């Protein structure tokens, strides 16, 4: 594609390379380093004058440093007379605090969804998917699981956490039926994995034959890996918005859905002025 450059920040270079490969391009030359006072320095190693620039930087690892690096890269490209600069952020930093829904942006934003890729993975990897139950580990994810269940034409359930009184351990109540069925827990992210591991135990005790977890962003901090290893999951499936190679070495239950094709197609469509909404319901080949 003419007049387009793709650069990678330092948070997830492997994903950036996959995106560039799918577009038949090379990543642009960029050098990131730190001054002795730990300030981030970015040097763009090629001309971006008049180009449509895309910068891939995920909100993972050293989140604050990576976010600052992204902002400095954007500024460097604007100063160098790039025609347009677009940030491609596979995992949006600080999204746990829902800033994205509170007037944070005054520029166009496309929020991409992993749902099409999740549906594809379920159909290709779970033999009993036609009789499974999609489960939300909390009431807040009800909309997410009902959408997936509707598109698979299967049942859904949710786990409601009850608190009898302050400072007392939550009691999990399953709303729905998973007896003699495969249960698929779906959530947007998992950090320490306490909730999904307790939810898995609840589903097995309620009669589920197998439990899978499918999570858009696998943060997996603190005791997460040991919890997953000790839990009753058949598999914990995440997208590669966050690097998972090191965690997979110590947790064989983790499997990864590659979403580079979705991000690459979003870049192509944005560059060509085409609709991005196609990706809300389709996985590009």
């Amino acid at each position: 594609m003419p007049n387009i450059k793709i650069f990678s920040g330092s948070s997830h270079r492997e994903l950036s390379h996959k995106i560039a490969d799918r577009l038949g391009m090379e990543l642009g030359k960029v050098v990131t380093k730190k001054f002795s006072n730990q300030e981030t320095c970015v040097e763009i190693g090629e001309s971006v004058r008049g180009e449509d620039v895309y910068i891939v930087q995920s909100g993972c690892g050293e989140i604050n440093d990576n976010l600052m690096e992204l902002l400095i890269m954007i500024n460097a490209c604007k100063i160098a007379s790039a025609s347009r600069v677009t940030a491609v952020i596979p995992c949006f930093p600080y999204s746990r605090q829902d800033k994205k829904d509170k007037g944070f942006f005054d520029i166009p934003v496309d929020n991409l969804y992993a749902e099409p890729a999740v549906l594809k993975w379920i159909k290709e990897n779970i033999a009993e998917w036609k009789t499974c139950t999609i489960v939300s580990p909390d009431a807040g994810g009800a909309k997410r699981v009902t959408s997936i269940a509707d598109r698979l034409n299967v049942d859904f359930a949710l786990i409601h956490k009850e608190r009898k009184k302050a400072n007392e351990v939550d009691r999990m109540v399953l709303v729905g039926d998973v007896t003699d069925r495969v249960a698929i827990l779906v959530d947007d992210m998992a950090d320490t994995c306490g909730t999904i591991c307790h939810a898995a135990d609840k589903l097995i005790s309620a009669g589920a034959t197998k439990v899978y977890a499918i999570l858009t962003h696998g943060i997996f901090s603190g005791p997460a890996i040991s919890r997953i290893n000790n839990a009753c999951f058949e598999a914990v499936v995440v997208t590669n918005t966050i690097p998972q190679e090191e965690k997979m070495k110590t947790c064989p239950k983790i499997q990864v859905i590659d979403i580079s094709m979705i991000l690459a197609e979003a870049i192509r469509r944005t560059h060509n002025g085409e609709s991005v909404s196609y990706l809300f319901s389709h996985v590009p080949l």
Side-chain angles (χ1 to χ4, degrees):
M1 291 186 290
N3 303 113
I4 182 173
K5 294 283 178 71
I6 299 176
F7 294 96
S8 175
S10 57
S11 66
H12 198 347
R13 293 191 190 278
E14 182 190 3
L15 178 58
S16 301
H17 278 291
K18 286 183 175 181
I19 292 169
D21 285 345
R22 287 186 176 273
L23 292 170
M25 300 177 59
E26 296 285 336
L27 287 175
K29 296 180 178 64
V30 60
V31 177
T32 57
K33 56 187 178 181
K34 287 186 180 291
F35 292 120
S36 57
N37 67 349
Q38 296 306 300
E39 286 185 6
T40 299
C41 172
V42 176
E43 296 176 1
I44 305 297
E46 55 191 84
S47 173
V48 295
R49 181 178 293 275
E51 301 279 3
D52 190 5
V53 174
Y54 294 82
I55 302 171
V56 183
Q57 181 80 312
S58 196
C60 56
E62 298 293 331
I63 291 176
N64 293 337
D65 283 355
N66 289 336
L67 179 57
M68 198 67 213
E69 180 182 284
L70 172 62
L71 297 176
I72 293 170
M73 289 178 75
I74 292 170
N75 185 59
C77 291
K78 294 297 284 184
I79 289 173
S81 301
S83 174
R84 181 172 65 171
V85 181
T86 302
V88 180
I89 310 176
C91 181
F92 189 77
Y94 290 95
S95 58
R96 295 178 74 165
Q97 301 176 56
D98 287 333
K99 294 292 191 296
K100 65 183 183 299
D101 297 324
K102 298 179 180 177
F104 193 78
F105 296 107
D106 57 3
I107 56 175
V109 176
D110 284 309
N111 186 21
L112 299 175
Y113 298 93
E115 184 177 303
V118 168
L119 292 167
K120 184 170 183 284
W121 190 92
I122 290 173
K123 290 178 180 179
E124 291 177 352
N125 293 276
I126 301 178
E128 313 93 328
W129 70 267
K130 291 183 180 179
T131 56
C132 74
T133 300
I134 309 296
V135 185
S136 173
D138 54 48
K143 183 178 179 181
R144 184 182 306 114
V145 299
T146 53
S147 175
I148 291 174
D150 285 347
R151 293 180 66 178
L152 291 173
N153 195 27
V154 299
D155 292 339
F156 68 90
L158 63 87
I159 292 174
H160 174 61
K161 287 185 282 190
E162 287 187 349
R163 189 184 298 276
K164 290 184 178 178
K165 58 183 179 181
N167 300 320
E168 187 167 307
V169 176
D170 289 341
R171 184 170 74 98
M172 286 186 160
V173 178
L174 176 64
V175 182
D177 183 22
V178 295
T179 306
D180 297 327
R181 295 185 182 190
V182 171
I184 305 174
L185 280 161
V186 177
D187 209 350
D188 58 348
M189 65 173 61
D191 190 354
T192 57
C193 292
T195 297
I196 64 161
C197 288
H198 284 130
D201 291 339
K202 180 67 179 177
L203 292 168
I204 291 294
S205 67
T209 56
K210 297 177 184 176
V211 179
Y212 293 83
I214 302 183
L215 315 160
T216 305
H217 307 295
I219 300 171
F220 301 147
S221 63
I225 296 302
S226 63
R227 284 175 173 171
I228 293 172
N229 281 330
N230 294 325
C232 53
F233 293 113
E234 295 291 315
V236 174
V237 184
V238 297
T239 69
N240 59 340
T241 58
I242 295 172
Q244 300 294 346
E245 288 71 26
E246 291 303 312
K247 296 183 178 72
M248 291 172 73
K249 291 176 183 177
T250 54
C251 186
K253 292 181 182 179
I254 295 176
Q255 297 185 31
V256 173
I257 299 173
D258 181 18
I259 47 85
S260 62
M261 76 291 285
I262 296 174
L263 297 172
E265 181 65 6
I267 289 173
R268 190 194 68 79
R269 286 174 173 267
T270 302
H271 177 67
N272 292 334
E274 301 172 23
S275 171
V276 176
S277 60
Y278 171 86
L279 298 173
F280 298 168
S281 55
H282 297 82
V283 177
L285 298 175

